[in-house]
Amino acid sequence: MASTSTSPLEVPEILRMISRFVSMKDACVCAQVCKAWTNAFVSAIWHTIDFTDHTLYELDAKILAKYGGHIRVVREMGEDTEVLVILLSKASKLRELEIDMGRKQSLAHVYDVIRRNNTTLENIDITFADKNSVFVVDALFPVSGTGATSRLTSFCFQRLTITREAFSSILKHCPSLTKLHLDDVILPSLPVGDDSGADCYQHRGVTELTAPVEQVFRVVSESEKVTSLLVHFPNLITWKFSGYSEVSIKEIRNEVTRCCPLLKSVWATTPPPLTVKLLAAFKGLTTIVVLNEQLSAEMVKAILNHQDTLLAACTLTDPRFDDYDVVPEVENDQVEASEWIIQAIPRRCGQLEALELPYYEMDVDDIEGEEWICHGLEVLYIRIHGLNTKEKIDRAIQLWIEGRIAIKKTQMDDKDDESLLSDSQLYAVIPKCANSIEARVARHLLKFRHLQRVWFGWRIRDLKYND
Amino acid sequence: MKVTLESSDGQVFTVDKEVAELSVIIKEMLVIEQANQDHPIPLLNVGAVELAKVIEYCEHHRNDPTIDDDEDYDSRKKPIEMDDWDKQFTIVNKEMMFELILAANSMQVKPLLHLGCRYAADIVKRMSPTEIRDLFQIDDDFTPEEQDKIEWEKQWTKL
């Protein structure tokens, strides 16, 4: 045994590492153990200030200033007093800042907070109280001549009036920006053809835009054609859109073709009839994400317009669905009528790598009915009729994993064999007479050599971690 | 390619290079000593028992993607994946685990260090400051003037 004279708890960097794994409450307790522990745990305690949880009003300015240097993330800063707390803390290394402004807010202090942190901020999410707010965009940029540049990568702003010049200025001074989210922002349009001037800065780094359709294509009057916001983002890949207004599909198609040739991924939270129409405005999409209740026959048809290029077909889901520790019930109105129609997606989209429809249920008879041509499938989230308990799901996955190992063994000499498994190969692993739902599902999964992540109702199983 | 490692008590282990390279320290040493590979790499702070355990861990995790170890990274938001194997691996006594934490720290095997720190964090869960001091034999070195800690602590525990 090595010397036991040192305890890892006497090593400051180990204590600091431990501090990252304790809850806030436990961190507060640990900080009171002794001075060394205070030093180690204080940054974990002050790392994130979420004003939905804390007030901190009563804290003495001296204490705020003493620990403020540890603050990295501020959420839900709204009231004047909260802004003041952050100002008094002298925090100057913030990475994330979320502001939801009240009506009587003094904006000057908010801009002071931003200004003090404009060399470290990576994420800003700011919602203004009313559209007449004036945004001092200069607060976002480090003072020129100091050599510092903005590190902002993700910027969200809502409810604001801004000039096109100021908007261009934001883009110009935030070179690291990759994600932009704007909603309810009044932004004067440019007349058609005027997209080369100073008011029309093209940002080559932004790849993801979240904005309602009507925000991007603001229609002032029917006769007046305007340049869309897309003109600012020549390298845009993903557009997450919502909205209600009818914008001419032709106009969207023209603008996308003209301005954003790389745009291949859409997240649609528009109402279903509008989504169906909008999907036709794009060509050769690789990723389509729609709301989970939207997979009607029309929607599937609209998705299949992209069948030759589609890599991922997904429904937007509760991000915590993989944490469920019971198998949730399928709500009937979601499955009705769409059960068989969604089969068309794996049967027709040959390139498909991810099918993530956790709110839909398939029937194993349908699955076996016609071949899925997406041989490169890697991710599958779906429910299967009858596979409705944790035990059954786990058994099916276990059979699949065991089958996979058995197949690997028989193919040792022939590693590069990419051809489909024949039925006889499959039956050699899981005999034909094994006719339980689990065996049938496992047999289907074995057809996809690259499949590695599955979910059938509870817990995502990833072969990377379970193999 | 194989590399040999020597524990502080003189035992020599032969492992695949890619397994040994989960240790940042060894990886760096291998770059420097590329030409000179005929003597084992000495690990002055790691005993044979711990080194065997560290190697066992590295063997299992040889194909894992490297973790991004950022000081400010708030791991409470995104806990690192811990699989069944890892859970089995941590069923050892506290003394052994603490030795492993020291070994992982001195060899800079980041995922094992995280695993160990998580284990340690679980021990102090829901304890009081006094209980922690008693368990680990730590002295309370606060002077009465340093009671401002209590003040902000009161704020935080209102959660």
Side-chain angles (χ1 to χ4, degrees), chain A residues 1 20 22 26 29 32-33 35 38 44 47 54 58 67 72, chain B residues 50 72 75-76 99 126-127 133 141-142 146 148 152-153 156 158:
Chain A
M1 290 285 271
R20 292 160 51 164
V22 298
D26 287 330
V29 169
Q32 296 174 74
V33 169
K35 283 183 188 169
T38 308
H47 183 279
H54 319 293
E58 297 116 69
Y67 298 106
R72 296 289 177 273
Chain B
E50 292 79 32
D72 276 345
S75 56
R76 280 167 299 162
E99 288 298 333
R126 282 188 283 278
M127 284 180 130
R133 276 185 220 118
D141 56 359
F142 290 114
E146 285 163 326
D148 65 352
W152 58 258
E153 193 270 336
W156 287 106
K158 273 183 191 165

PDB file of all heavy atoms in Angstrom, chain A residues 1 20 22 26 29 32-33 35 38 44 47 54 58 67 72, chain B residues 50 72 75-76 99 126-127 133 141-142 146 148 152-153 156 158:
ATOM      1  N   MET A   1       0.836  -1.205   0.000  1.00  0.00           N
ATOM      2  CA  MET A   1       0.000   0.000   0.000  1.00  0.00           C
ATOM      3  C   MET A   1       0.867   1.250   0.000  1.00  0.00           C
ATOM      4  O   MET A   1       1.905   1.302   0.650  1.00  0.00           O
ATOM      5  CB  MET A   1      -0.888   0.034   1.256  1.00  0.00           C
ATOM      6  CG  MET A   1      -1.986  -1.007   1.276  1.00  0.00           C
ATOM      7  SD  MET A   1      -3.357  -0.615   0.197  1.00  0.00           S
ATOM      8  CE  MET A   1      -4.383   0.345   1.280  1.00  0.00           C
ATOM      9  N   ARG A  20     -17.867  19.805  -6.837  1.00  0.00           N
ATOM     10  CA  ARG A  20     -18.701  19.833  -8.042  1.00  0.00           C
ATOM     11  C   ARG A  20     -19.761  18.748  -8.037  1.00  0.00           C
ATOM     12  O   ARG A  20     -20.642  18.733  -8.875  1.00  0.00           O
ATOM     13  CB  ARG A  20     -17.810  19.675  -9.289  1.00  0.00           C
ATOM     14  CG  ARG A  20     -16.930  20.900  -9.483  1.00  0.00           C
ATOM     15  CD  ARG A  20     -15.737  20.603 -10.349  1.00  0.00           C
ATOM     16  NE  ARG A  20     -16.112  19.948 -11.597  1.00  0.00           N
ATOM     17  CZ  ARG A  20     -15.299  19.860 -12.633  1.00  0.00           C
ATOM     18  NH1 ARG A  20     -14.102  20.383 -12.572  1.00  0.00           N
ATOM     19  NH2 ARG A  20     -15.678  19.251 -13.714  1.00  0.00           N
ATOM     20  N   VAL A  22     -21.523  17.792  -5.116  1.00  0.00           N
ATOM     21  CA  VAL A  22     -22.469  17.852  -3.999  1.00  0.00           C
ATOM     22  C   VAL A  22     -23.605  18.819  -4.318  1.00  0.00           C
ATOM     23  O   VAL A  22     -23.468  19.687  -5.169  1.00  0.00           O
ATOM     24  CB  VAL A  22     -21.781  18.297  -2.687  1.00  0.00           C
ATOM     25  CG1 VAL A  22     -20.722  17.313  -2.272  1.00  0.00           C
ATOM     26  CG2 VAL A  22     -21.204  19.680  -2.818  1.00  0.00           C
ATOM     27  N   ASP A  26     -25.579  20.669   0.623  1.00  0.00           N
ATOM     28  CA  ASP A  26     -24.400  19.999   1.179  1.00  0.00           C
ATOM     29  C   ASP A  26     -23.156  20.875   1.050  1.00  0.00           C
ATOM     30  O   ASP A  26     -22.306  20.883   1.933  1.00  0.00           O
ATOM     31  CB  ASP A  26     -24.178  18.647   0.477  1.00  0.00           C
ATOM     32  CG  ASP A  26     -25.210  17.607   0.907  1.00  0.00           C
ATOM     33  OD1 ASP A  26     -25.679  17.697   2.055  1.00  0.00           O
ATOM     34  OD2 ASP A  26     -25.563  16.738   0.100  1.00  0.00           O
ATOM     35  N   VAL A  29     -22.964  23.216   3.886  1.00  0.00           N
ATOM     36  CA  VAL A  29     -22.510  22.535   5.094  1.00  0.00           C
ATOM     37  C   VAL A  29     -20.995  22.330   5.034  1.00  0.00           C
ATOM     38  O   VAL A  29     -20.273  22.655   5.979  1.00  0.00           O
ATOM     39  CB  VAL A  29     -23.248  21.181   5.259  1.00  0.00           C
ATOM     40  CG1 VAL A  29     -22.595  20.349   6.347  1.00  0.00           C
ATOM     41  CG2 VAL A  29     -24.712  21.428   5.579  1.00  0.00           C
ATOM     42  N   GLN A  32     -18.558  25.013   5.946  1.00  0.00           N
ATOM     43  CA  GLN A  32     -18.411  25.381   7.354  1.00  0.00           C
ATOM     44  C   GLN A  32     -17.511  24.447   8.139  1.00  0.00           C
ATOM     45  O   GLN A  32     -17.356  24.598   9.343  1.00  0.00           O
ATOM     46  CB  GLN A  32     -19.791  25.389   8.024  1.00  0.00           C
ATOM     47  CG  GLN A  32     -20.701  26.437   7.453  1.00  0.00           C
ATOM     48  CD  GLN A  32     -22.079  26.300   8.046  1.00  0.00           C
ATOM     49  OE1 GLN A  32     -22.290  26.654   9.200  1.00  0.00           O
ATOM     50  NE2 GLN A  32     -23.010  25.764   7.285  1.00  0.00           N
ATOM     51  N   VAL A  33     -16.941  23.466   7.453  1.00  0.00           N
ATOM     52  CA  VAL A  33     -16.126  22.483   8.161  1.00  0.00           C
ATOM     53  C   VAL A  33     -14.831  23.116   8.676  1.00  0.00           C
ATOM     54  O   VAL A  33     -14.518  23.034   9.851  1.00  0.00           O
ATOM     55  CB  VAL A  33     -15.831  21.267   7.259  1.00  0.00           C
ATOM     56  CG1 VAL A  33     -14.778  20.367   7.876  1.00  0.00           C
ATOM     57  CG2 VAL A  33     -17.125  20.482   7.022  1.00  0.00           C
ATOM     58  N   LYS A  35     -11.453  26.198   7.270  1.00  0.00           N
ATOM     59  CA  LYS A  35     -11.103  27.220   6.281  1.00  0.00           C
ATOM     60  C   LYS A  35     -10.757  26.623   4.917  1.00  0.00           C
ATOM     61  O   LYS A  35     -11.151  27.142   3.882  1.00  0.00           O
ATOM     62  CB  LYS A  35      -9.906  28.028   6.786  1.00  0.00           C
ATOM     63  CG  LYS A  35     -10.276  29.039   7.835  1.00  0.00           C
ATOM     64  CD  LYS A  35      -9.031  29.818   8.210  1.00  0.00           C
ATOM     65  CE  LYS A  35      -9.321  30.702   9.408  1.00  0.00           C
ATOM     66  NZ  LYS A  35      -8.086  31.269   9.947  1.00  0.00           N
ATOM     67  N   THR A  38     -13.865  25.804   3.213  1.00  0.00           N
ATOM     68  CA  THR A  38     -14.568  27.001   2.732  1.00  0.00           C
ATOM     69  C   THR A  38     -14.025  27.397   1.366  1.00  0.00           C
ATOM     70  O   THR A  38     -14.769  27.615   0.419  1.00  0.00           O
ATOM     71  CB  THR A  38     -14.382  28.191   3.702  1.00  0.00           C
ATOM     72  OG1 THR A  38     -14.721  27.770   5.007  1.00  0.00           O
ATOM     73  CG2 THR A  38     -15.235  29.367   3.295  1.00  0.00           C
ATOM     74  N   ALA A  44     -18.403  26.554  -5.720  1.00  0.00           N
ATOM     75  CA  ALA A  44     -19.575  25.761  -6.100  1.00  0.00           C
ATOM     76  C   ALA A  44     -20.854  26.449  -5.630  1.00  0.00           C
ATOM     77  O   ALA A  44     -21.879  26.447  -6.317  1.00  0.00           O
ATOM     78  CB  ALA A  44     -19.483  24.359  -5.506  1.00  0.00           C
ATOM     79  N   HIS A  47     -21.376  29.718  -7.760  1.00  0.00           N
ATOM     80  CA  HIS A  47     -21.292  29.554  -9.215  1.00  0.00           C
ATOM     81  C   HIS A  47     -22.537  30.060  -9.929  1.00  0.00           C
ATOM     82  O   HIS A  47     -22.471  30.827 -10.889  1.00  0.00           O
ATOM     83  CB  HIS A  47     -21.059  28.071  -9.535  1.00  0.00           C
ATOM     84  CG  HIS A  47     -20.894  27.776 -10.984  1.00  0.00           C
ATOM     85  ND1 HIS A  47     -21.969  27.648 -11.843  1.00  0.00           N
ATOM     86  CD2 HIS A  47     -19.791  27.601 -11.751  1.00  0.00           C
ATOM     87  CE1 HIS A  47     -21.516  27.394 -13.063  1.00  0.00           C
ATOM     88  NE2 HIS A  47     -20.209  27.366 -13.031  1.00  0.00           N
ATOM     89  N   HIS A  54     -33.208  32.243  -4.866  1.00  0.00           N
ATOM     90  CA  HIS A  54     -32.607  33.056  -3.812  1.00  0.00           C
ATOM     91  C   HIS A  54     -33.106  34.482  -3.889  1.00  0.00           C
ATOM     92  O   HIS A  54     -33.554  34.941  -4.918  1.00  0.00           O
ATOM     93  CB  HIS A  54     -31.093  33.168  -3.971  1.00  0.00           C
ATOM     94  CG  HIS A  54     -30.431  31.916  -4.360  1.00  0.00           C
ATOM     95  ND1 HIS A  54     -30.391  30.849  -3.527  1.00  0.00           N
ATOM     96  CD2 HIS A  54     -29.789  31.562  -5.490  1.00  0.00           C
ATOM     97  CE1 HIS A  54     -29.729  29.871  -4.117  1.00  0.00           C
ATOM     98  NE2 HIS A  54     -29.364  30.275  -5.316  1.00  0.00           N
ATOM     99  N   GLU A  58     -30.696  40.603   1.624  1.00  0.00           N
ATOM    100  CA  GLU A  58     -30.249  40.997   2.965  1.00  0.00           C
ATOM    101  C   GLU A  58     -28.746  40.883   3.137  1.00  0.00           C
ATOM    102  O   GLU A  58     -28.204  41.278   4.141  1.00  0.00           O
ATOM    103  CB  GLU A  58     -30.945  40.144   4.026  1.00  0.00           C
ATOM    104  CG  GLU A  58     -32.444  40.325   4.046  1.00  0.00           C
ATOM    105  CD  GLU A  58     -33.161  39.031   3.683  1.00  0.00           C
ATOM    106  OE1 GLU A  58     -33.114  38.091   4.491  1.00  0.00           O
ATOM    107  OE2 GLU A  58     -33.750  38.963   2.598  1.00  0.00           O
ATOM    108  N   TYR A  67     -17.501  37.431  -2.271  1.00  0.00           N
ATOM    109  CA  TYR A  67     -17.705  36.168  -2.986  1.00  0.00           C
ATOM    110  C   TYR A  67     -18.157  36.325  -4.438  1.00  0.00           C
ATOM    111  O   TYR A  67     -18.213  35.362  -5.182  1.00  0.00           O
ATOM    112  CB  TYR A  67     -18.722  35.306  -2.219  1.00  0.00           C
ATOM    113  CG  TYR A  67     -18.247  34.942  -0.837  1.00  0.00           C
ATOM    114  CD1 TYR A  67     -18.801  35.555   0.287  1.00  0.00           C
ATOM    115  CD2 TYR A  67     -17.231  34.015  -0.663  1.00  0.00           C
ATOM    116  CE1 TYR A  67     -18.354  35.243   1.557  1.00  0.00           C
ATOM    117  CE2 TYR A  67     -16.780  33.697   0.605  1.00  0.00           C
ATOM    118  CZ  TYR A  67     -17.342  34.305   1.714  1.00  0.00           C
ATOM    119  OH  TYR A  67     -16.886  34.004   2.957  1.00  0.00           O
ATOM    120  N   ARG A  72     -20.648  32.795 -11.930  1.00  0.00           N
ATOM    121  CA  ARG A  72     -20.486  32.553 -13.365  1.00  0.00           C
ATOM    122  C   ARG A  72     -21.816  32.599 -14.119  1.00  0.00           C
ATOM    123  O   ARG A  72     -21.847  32.887 -15.300  1.00  0.00           O
ATOM    124  CB  ARG A  72     -19.849  31.172 -13.603  1.00  0.00           C
ATOM    125  CG  ARG A  72     -18.457  31.013 -13.061  1.00  0.00           C
ATOM    126  CD  ARG A  72     -17.449  31.827 -13.877  1.00  0.00           C
ATOM    127  NE  ARG A  72     -16.115  31.712 -13.305  1.00  0.00           N
ATOM    128  CZ  ARG A  72     -15.653  32.491 -12.342  1.00  0.00           C
ATOM    129  NH1 ARG A  72     -16.405  33.467 -11.865  1.00  0.00           N
ATOM    130  NH2 ARG A  72     -14.434  32.321 -11.860  1.00  0.00           N
TER     131      ARG A  72
ATOM    132  N   GLU B  50      -3.075  -0.223  -5.793  1.00  0.00           N
ATOM    133  CA  GLU B  50      -3.879   0.823  -6.425  1.00  0.00           C
ATOM    134  C   GLU B  50      -3.643   0.840  -7.936  1.00  0.00           C
ATOM    135  O   GLU B  50      -4.581   1.004  -8.712  1.00  0.00           O
ATOM    136  CB  GLU B  50      -3.534   2.204  -5.837  1.00  0.00           C
ATOM    137  CG  GLU B  50      -3.951   2.387  -4.389  1.00  0.00           C
ATOM    138  CD  GLU B  50      -2.998   1.722  -3.416  1.00  0.00           C
ATOM    139  OE1 GLU B  50      -1.783   1.657  -3.702  1.00  0.00           O
ATOM    140  OE2 GLU B  50      -3.470   1.236  -2.366  1.00  0.00           O
ATOM    141  N   ASP B  72     -14.668  25.452 -14.460  1.00  0.00           N
ATOM    142  CA  ASP B  72     -15.941  26.098 -14.165  1.00  0.00           C
ATOM    143  C   ASP B  72     -17.146  25.234 -14.511  1.00  0.00           C
ATOM    144  O   ASP B  72     -18.269  25.571 -14.194  1.00  0.00           O
ATOM    145  CB  ASP B  72     -16.067  27.403 -14.964  1.00  0.00           C
ATOM    146  CG  ASP B  72     -15.368  28.517 -14.242  1.00  0.00           C
ATOM    147  OD1 ASP B  72     -15.068  28.344 -13.052  1.00  0.00           O
ATOM    148  OD2 ASP B  72     -15.125  29.550 -14.884  1.00  0.00           O
ATOM    149  N   SER B  75     -20.834  20.519 -12.930  1.00  0.00           N
ATOM    150  CA  SER B  75     -21.206  19.120 -13.143  1.00  0.00           C
ATOM    151  C   SER B  75     -22.518  18.747 -12.471  1.00  0.00           C
ATOM    152  O   SER B  75     -23.089  17.718 -12.754  1.00  0.00           O
ATOM    153  CB  SER B  75     -20.094  18.206 -12.645  1.00  0.00           C
ATOM    154  OG  SER B  75     -19.836  18.514 -11.294  1.00  0.00           O
ATOM    155  N   ARG B  76     -22.992  19.615 -11.570  1.00  0.00           N
ATOM    156  CA  ARG B  76     -24.272  19.272 -10.934  1.00  0.00           C
ATOM    157  C   ARG B  76     -25.400  19.283 -11.951  1.00  0.00           C
ATOM    158  O   ARG B  76     -26.420  18.663 -11.788  1.00  0.00           O
ATOM    159  CB  ARG B  76     -24.583  20.259  -9.808  1.00  0.00           C
ATOM    160  CG  ARG B  76     -23.839  19.927  -8.541  1.00  0.00           C
ATOM    161  CD  ARG B  76     -23.923  21.060  -7.574  1.00  0.00           C
ATOM    162  NE  ARG B  76     -23.325  22.249  -8.156  1.00  0.00           N
ATOM    163  CZ  ARG B  76     -23.540  23.464  -7.698  1.00  0.00           C
ATOM    164  NH1 ARG B  76     -24.337  23.652  -6.699  1.00  0.00           N
ATOM    165  NH2 ARG B  76     -22.947  24.496  -8.267  1.00  0.00           N
ATOM    166  N   GLU B  99      -7.412   5.975  -1.486  1.00  0.00           N
ATOM    167  CA  GLU B  99      -6.115   5.749  -2.118  1.00  0.00           C
ATOM    168  C   GLU B  99      -6.243   5.877  -3.642  1.00  0.00           C
ATOM    169  O   GLU B  99      -5.364   6.416  -4.311  1.00  0.00           O
ATOM    170  CB  GLU B  99      -5.570   4.355  -1.759  1.00  0.00           C
ATOM    171  CG  GLU B  99      -5.098   4.212  -0.321  1.00  0.00           C
ATOM    172  CD  GLU B  99      -3.946   5.147   0.018  1.00  0.00           C
ATOM    173  OE1 GLU B  99      -3.176   5.521  -0.874  1.00  0.00           O
ATOM    174  OE2 GLU B  99      -3.824   5.539   1.209  1.00  0.00           O
ATOM    175  N   ARG B 126     -25.780  15.084   3.354  1.00  0.00           N
ATOM    176  CA  ARG B 126     -26.674  15.242   4.507  1.00  0.00           C
ATOM    177  C   ARG B 126     -26.003  15.121   5.877  1.00  0.00           C
ATOM    178  O   ARG B 126     -26.635  14.829   6.875  1.00  0.00           O
ATOM    179  CB  ARG B 126     -27.844  14.249   4.408  1.00  0.00           C
ATOM    180  CG  ARG B 126     -28.893  14.729   3.421  1.00  0.00           C
ATOM    181  CD  ARG B 126     -30.120  13.884   3.454  1.00  0.00           C
ATOM    182  NE  ARG B 126     -29.934  12.616   2.764  1.00  0.00           N
ATOM    183  CZ  ARG B 126     -30.037  12.471   1.442  1.00  0.00           C
ATOM    184  NH1 ARG B 126     -30.348  13.506   0.701  1.00  0.00           N
ATOM    185  NH2 ARG B 126     -29.859  11.316   0.871  1.00  0.00           N
ATOM    186  N   MET B 127     -24.700  15.324   5.938  1.00  0.00           N
ATOM    187  CA  MET B 127     -24.035  15.351   7.239  1.00  0.00           C
ATOM    188  C   MET B 127     -23.975  16.790   7.727  1.00  0.00           C
ATOM    189  O   MET B 127     -24.172  17.720   6.966  1.00  0.00           O
ATOM    190  CB  MET B 127     -22.606  14.822   7.101  1.00  0.00           C
ATOM    191  CG  MET B 127     -22.508  13.323   6.965  1.00  0.00           C
ATOM    192  SD  MET B 127     -20.777  12.881   6.822  1.00  0.00           S
ATOM    193  CE  MET B 127     -20.669  11.621   8.023  1.00  0.00           C
ATOM    194  N   ARG B 133     -16.336  16.801  10.428  1.00  0.00           N
ATOM    195  CA  ARG B 133     -15.063  16.982  11.152  1.00  0.00           C
ATOM    196  C   ARG B 133     -14.710  15.727  11.928  1.00  0.00           C
ATOM    197  O   ARG B 133     -13.559  15.281  11.917  1.00  0.00           O
ATOM    198  CB  ARG B 133     -15.180  18.170  12.123  1.00  0.00           C
ATOM    199  CG  ARG B 133     -14.919  19.500  11.451  1.00  0.00           C
ATOM    200  CD  ARG B 133     -14.917  20.631  12.489  1.00  0.00           C
ATOM    201  NE  ARG B 133     -15.590  21.789  11.934  1.00  0.00           N
ATOM    202  CZ  ARG B 133     -16.689  22.342  12.415  1.00  0.00           C
ATOM    203  NH1 ARG B 133     -17.275  21.838  13.489  1.00  0.00           N
ATOM    204  NH2 ARG B 133     -17.212  23.397  11.835  1.00  0.00           N
ATOM    205  N   ASP B 141     -10.991  25.422  12.427  1.00  0.00           N
ATOM    206  CA  ASP B 141     -10.005  26.488  12.593  1.00  0.00           C
ATOM    207  C   ASP B 141     -10.590  27.881  12.388  1.00  0.00           C
ATOM    208  O   ASP B 141      -9.882  28.821  12.087  1.00  0.00           O
ATOM    209  CB  ASP B 141      -8.810  26.260  11.653  1.00  0.00           C
ATOM    210  CG  ASP B 141      -9.239  26.139  10.191  1.00  0.00           C
ATOM    211  OD1 ASP B 141     -10.457  26.216   9.908  1.00  0.00           O
ATOM    212  OD2 ASP B 141      -8.368  25.968   9.332  1.00  0.00           O
ATOM    213  N   PHE B 142     -11.906  27.986  12.535  1.00  0.00           N
ATOM    214  CA  PHE B 142     -12.516  29.309  12.380  1.00  0.00           C
ATOM    215  C   PHE B 142     -12.363  30.112  13.658  1.00  0.00           C
ATOM    216  O   PHE B 142     -12.568  29.602  14.757  1.00  0.00           O
ATOM    217  CB  PHE B 142     -14.011  29.201  12.068  1.00  0.00           C
ATOM    218  CG  PHE B 142     -14.278  28.675  10.699  1.00  0.00           C
ATOM    219  CD1 PHE B 142     -14.885  27.435  10.529  1.00  0.00           C
ATOM    220  CD2 PHE B 142     -13.943  29.414   9.582  1.00  0.00           C
ATOM    221  CE1 PHE B 142     -15.143  26.948   9.262  1.00  0.00           C
ATOM    222  CE2 PHE B 142     -14.199  28.934   8.310  1.00  0.00           C
ATOM    223  CZ  PHE B 142     -14.801  27.702   8.158  1.00  0.00           C
ATOM    224  N   GLU B 146     -14.713  35.187  12.151  1.00  0.00           N
ATOM    225  CA  GLU B 146     -15.011  34.712  10.813  1.00  0.00           C
ATOM    226  C   GLU B 146     -16.435  34.186  10.686  1.00  0.00           C
ATOM    227  O   GLU B 146     -16.712  33.285   9.899  1.00  0.00           O
ATOM    228  CB  GLU B 146     -14.000  33.633  10.404  1.00  0.00           C
ATOM    229  CG  GLU B 146     -12.672  34.242  10.069  1.00  0.00           C
ATOM    230  CD  GLU B 146     -11.551  33.218  10.067  1.00  0.00           C
ATOM    231  OE1 GLU B 146     -11.578  32.276  10.863  1.00  0.00           O
ATOM    232  OE2 GLU B 146     -10.646  33.385   9.250  1.00  0.00           O
ATOM    233  N   ASP B 148     -18.902  35.610   9.403  1.00  0.00           N
ATOM    234  CA  ASP B 148     -19.710  36.068   8.258  1.00  0.00           C
ATOM    235  C   ASP B 148     -20.171  34.901   7.405  1.00  0.00           C
ATOM    236  O   ASP B 148     -21.194  34.934   6.771  1.00  0.00           O
ATOM    237  CB  ASP B 148     -18.965  37.128   7.423  1.00  0.00           C
ATOM    238  CG  ASP B 148     -17.717  36.571   6.744  1.00  0.00           C
ATOM    239  OD1 ASP B 148     -17.357  35.421   7.048  1.00  0.00           O
ATOM    240  OD2 ASP B 148     -17.132  37.303   5.935  1.00  0.00           O
ATOM    241  N   TRP B 152     -23.962  34.323   5.242  1.00  0.00           N
ATOM    242  CA  TRP B 152     -24.426  33.980   3.900  1.00  0.00           C
ATOM    243  C   TRP B 152     -24.970  32.578   3.820  1.00  0.00           C
ATOM    244  O   TRP B 152     -25.837  32.263   3.024  1.00  0.00           O
ATOM    245  CB  TRP B 152     -23.399  34.284   2.822  1.00  0.00           C
ATOM    246  CG  TRP B 152     -22.043  33.644   2.903  1.00  0.00           C
ATOM    247  CD1 TRP B 152     -20.900  34.233   3.334  1.00  0.00           C
ATOM    248  CD2 TRP B 152     -21.686  32.320   2.516  1.00  0.00           C
ATOM    249  NE1 TRP B 152     -19.850  33.366   3.255  1.00  0.00           N
ATOM    250  CE2 TRP B 152     -20.296  32.183   2.756  1.00  0.00           C
ATOM    251  CE3 TRP B 152     -22.372  31.240   2.003  1.00  0.00           C
ATOM    252  CZ2 TRP B 152     -19.603  31.014   2.494  1.00  0.00           C
ATOM    253  CZ3 TRP B 152     -21.682  30.077   1.743  1.00  0.00           C
ATOM    254  CH2 TRP B 152     -20.317  29.962   1.998  1.00  0.00           C
ATOM    255  N   GLU B 153     -24.478  31.747   4.740  1.00  0.00           N
ATOM    256  CA  GLU B 153     -24.977  30.377   4.752  1.00  0.00           C
ATOM    257  C   GLU B 153     -26.472  30.374   5.035  1.00  0.00           C
ATOM    258  O   GLU B 153     -27.236  29.606   4.454  1.00  0.00           O
ATOM    259  CB  GLU B 153     -24.197  29.584   5.789  1.00  0.00           C
ATOM    260  CG  GLU B 153     -24.392  28.097   5.697  1.00  0.00           C
ATOM    261  CD  GLU B 153     -25.546  27.641   6.546  1.00  0.00           C
ATOM    262  OE1 GLU B 153     -25.893  28.338   7.516  1.00  0.00           O
ATOM    263  OE2 GLU B 153     -26.094  26.598   6.219  1.00  0.00           O
ATOM    264  N   TRP B 156     -28.423  31.001   1.874  1.00  0.00           N
ATOM    265  CA  TRP B 156     -28.458  29.920   0.906  1.00  0.00           C
ATOM    266  C   TRP B 156     -29.349  28.767   1.310  1.00  0.00           C
ATOM    267  O   TRP B 156     -29.964  28.129   0.477  1.00  0.00           O
ATOM    268  CB  TRP B 156     -27.039  29.410   0.661  1.00  0.00           C
ATOM    269  CG  TRP B 156     -26.239  30.370  -0.133  1.00  0.00           C
ATOM    270  CD1 TRP B 156     -25.254  31.172   0.326  1.00  0.00           C
ATOM    271  CD2 TRP B 156     -26.376  30.646  -1.517  1.00  0.00           C
ATOM    272  NE1 TRP B 156     -24.772  31.931  -0.687  1.00  0.00           N
ATOM    273  CE2 TRP B 156     -25.440  31.631  -1.830  1.00  0.00           C
ATOM    274  CE3 TRP B 156     -27.202  30.160  -2.523  1.00  0.00           C
ATOM    275  CZ2 TRP B 156     -25.302  32.138  -3.118  1.00  0.00           C
ATOM    276  CZ3 TRP B 156     -27.072  30.662  -3.792  1.00  0.00           C
ATOM    277  CH2 TRP B 156     -26.130  31.649  -4.075  1.00  0.00           C
ATOM    278  N   LYS B 158     -32.021  28.777   2.714  1.00  0.00           N
ATOM    279  CA  LYS B 158     -33.462  29.046   2.617  1.00  0.00           C
ATOM    280  C   LYS B 158     -34.118  28.287   1.464  1.00  0.00           C
ATOM    281  O   LYS B 158     -35.319  28.326   1.293  1.00  0.00           O
ATOM    282  CB  LYS B 158     -33.698  30.535   2.394  1.00  0.00           C
ATOM    283  CG  LYS B 158     -33.764  31.333   3.681  1.00  0.00           C
ATOM    284  CD  LYS B 158     -34.064  32.773   3.353  1.00  0.00           C
ATOM    285  CE  LYS B 158     -33.865  33.644   4.583  1.00  0.00           C
ATOM    286  NZ  LYS B 158     -33.792  35.056   4.202  1.00  0.00           N
TER     287      LYS B 158
END
